[in-house]
Amino acid sequence: MFEPLKGFFRGSRGGQPGGNPPAYSPSGARLPANGRGSGEPTHSTRPSRGLEEFFVHIRDTTGLTILDLGGATQKNVSFITDLGHRLYSEDFLRILHEAFGPDDAADQTNSGRIEYFLKQTLDYPQGHFDGVLVWDVLEYLNPVLLGAVVERLQYIVRPKAYMLAFFHSDDKLEEVPSYTFRIEQLNTLEIIQQGMRRPAQLYNNRSLEKLFGRFESVKFFLTRERLREVIIKV
Amino acid sequence: MSSMPPARFEAEPRGGAATLGKAVKVVGQIFSREDLYVDGEVEGTVEALEHKLTIGPNGTVRATVKAREVVALGTVQGNVEATEKIEIRKDAKLTGDIRTARIIIEDGAYFKGSIDIVKPEPAKGAPKAQAAVPVGQAAPVSAPASANSPEIKR
């Protein structure tokens, strides 16, 4: 049913049949249940070419339907609705933890669990959305679950619409900073970092092109946080 | 004989709002003509069209909700229409579609669903200015207080 992408990605961590090993902090302690780490969050604001590109396609129209997979935040809700759009909010990572356990150790290849997860997060009609803010959530999915999620996204987003996704660009990292993204302006993001988190796999340009190979186009922007901002045209 | 005075129940003040306490469960329809504070459980529909509905931290509302203003501190499952504004406070959990003029979401709140911002239309034919009530003169009360209590239909 879902095309397995396991083992394809550089630095893939999906090698264990039972799913990913639990996430650990640098000190060896297990990361908290929400995976977002602990301690005081750090805030920074920076320009975002990816965000700018995303808004180029939706800012001059009103009444579009936008999906935000990063959970509801005041800034994002206000920004999108002030543009005259309808916003759908899904706290994707929270539901991921509910579906697969607090440390994502449960089997992300189990088709029953995958179906349940998709029902909880992306159960929408075909072509329902005119844009998706994916942020960095895809980094935490193992290849089988990732394939299913990307397939479902392609189904629920209308053709020619755009999605914005972020991926860390350093393929040697064991852990990556855990971020929350808040929209400041059409081309500016507030980035809140709280703790570290272990991605399920890491990506390079080639693997991202392959991941989104069935979409019309993929465009990359590299940021100073060593994040790839990726605009995907459905 | 005990010298202790008899215990008296005093409802926690909610700014004049009618209160459904945390040990109360209502299944059915609630129509309220005053502000309403729900700290218990409600299944069905809740309408307080001209008033404020607050779902307290212990409150669980599985209902279609229509009110002038909604403040969620507890759990809401169902579609919510708030003509003026809705506030989803930290630790609140709201699953459903929202239609409102203004929304406030605190960090830590959980929300799943859609948000439609509907700007209120100015009332047609409304007088431009209301007649002022002279200082020191109280406005007439049109109905006894009991008539404003929530009406519960089962």
Side-chain angles (χ1 to χ4, degrees), chain A residues 71-74 77-78 81-82 85-91 94-95 98 119-122 124 182, chain B residues 86 88 92-93 97-99 102-117 119:
Chain A
T73 64
Q74 182 70 58
V77 167
S78 297
T81 57
D82 284 353
H85 303 311
R86 184 182 204 195
L87 180 70
Y88 280 71
S89 174
E90 291 284 354
D91 198 337
R94 177 169 170 155
I95 300 170
E98 286 172 3
K119 184 101 183 147
Q120 296 298 311
T121 51
L122 300 172
Y124 295 102
R182 293 181 183 172
Chain B
I86 179 168
I88 309 174
K93 193 172 177 182
D97 296 337
I98 293 173
R99 274 174 70 82
R102 202 152 70 87
I103 184 165
I104 296 160
I105 300 178
E106 287 188 1
D107 281 354
Y110 175 80
F111 169 67
K112 176 185 169 70
S114 69
I115 300 167
D116 257 331
I117 299 295
K119 296 296 176 196

Side-chain angles (χ1 to χ4, degrees), chain B residues 1-9:
Chain B
M1 253 183 91
S2 166
S3 60
M4 292 280 285
R8 285 200 316 175
F9 173 76

Side-chain angles (χ1 to χ4, degrees), chain A residues 4 29 40-41 54 85 96 126 136 143 150 179 184 194 213 215 227:
Chain A
E40 286 300 304
F54 180 80
H85 303 311
L96 181 74
Q126 186 171 12
D136 63 349
V150 170
Y179 295 124
E184 286 281 329
Q194 187 163 29
F215 292 80
L227 275 176

Side-chain angles (χ1 to χ4, degrees), chain A:
Chain A
M1 184 178 170
F2 304 114
E3 187 187 350
L5 299 166
K6 194 172 183 175
F8 173 80
F9 300 98
R10 256 173 93 184
S12 170
R13 306 202 195 287
Q16 292 188 4
N20 304 320
Y24 290 91
S25 72
S27 63
R30 189 173 290 219
L31 288 174
N34 64 11
R36 286 293 188 189
S38 57
E40 286 300 304
T42 57
H43 295 241
S44 63
T45 302
R46 66 156 173 84
S48 167
R49 291 285 312 282
L51 190 71
E52 185 176 11
E53 185 84 7
F54 180 80
F55 278 123
V56 160
H57 305 287
I58 69 164
R59 71 181 177 199
D60 295 328
T61 318
T62 57
L64 300 180
T65 304
I66 307 297
L67 175 62
D68 184 340
L69 295 182
T73 64
Q74 182 70 58
K75 280 189 177 171
N76 294 3
V77 167
S78 297
F79 200 90
I80 299 289
T81 57
D82 284 353
L83 288 175
H85 303 311
R86 184 182 204 195
L87 180 70
Y88 280 71
S89 174
E90 291 284 354
D91 198 337
F92 192 87
L93 290 182
R94 177 169 170 155
I95 300 170
L96 181 74
H97 296 307
E98 286 172 3
F100 294 98
D103 51 14
D104 302 343
D107 189 0
Q108 284 192 11
T109 63
N110 181 302
S111 60
R113 278 179 186 265
I114 290 173
E115 272 306 313
Y116 171 79
F117 177 69
L118 293 177
K119 184 101 183 147
Q120 296 298 311
T121 51
L122 300 172
D123 189 22
Y124 295 102
Q126 186 171 12
H128 189 65
F129 293 107
D130 301 297
V132 184
L133 294 163
V134 180
W135 307 120
D136 63 349
V137 302
L138 299 182
E139 284 197 311
Y140 305 106
L141 309 182
N142 88 358
V144 178
L145 180 58
L146 177 69
V149 167
V150 170
E151 188 176 304
R152 181 61 64 91
L153 282 171
Q154 191 179 24
Y155 178 79
I156 64 175
V157 182
R158 71 164 173 77
K160 312 289 183 192
Y162 289 82
M163 304 194 297
L164 173 64
F166 292 170
F167 297 89
H168 283 86
S169 59
D170 190 338
D171 58 11
K172 295 190 178 74
L173 291 174
E174 284 295 311
E175 289 183 319
V176 296
S178 181
Y179 295 124
T180 303
F181 302 94
R182 293 181 183 172
I183 303 166
E184 286 281 329
Q185 294 174 44
L186 288 170
N187 61 354
T188 310
L189 276 177
E190 181 189 13
I191 297 177
I192 299 156
Q193 185 193 334
Q194 187 163 29
M196 301 290 284
R197 188 180 170 123
R198 187 171 186 173
Q201 50 193 325
L202 292 163
Y203 302 82
N204 58 24
N205 284 355
R206 179 79 190 110
S207 58
L208 286 171
E209 281 170 358
K210 197 82 177 173
L211 174 62
F212 298 112
R214 66 194 96 167
F215 292 80
E216 192 170 309
S217 68
V218 185
K219 200 182 211 178
F220 304 96
F221 304 95
L222 191 59
T223 72
R224 66 182 181 207
E225 293 97 356
R226 302 182 70 76
L227 275 176
R228 276 190 191 83
E229 297 185 349
V230 185
I231 286 284
I232 305 120
K233 187 175 182 184
V234 180

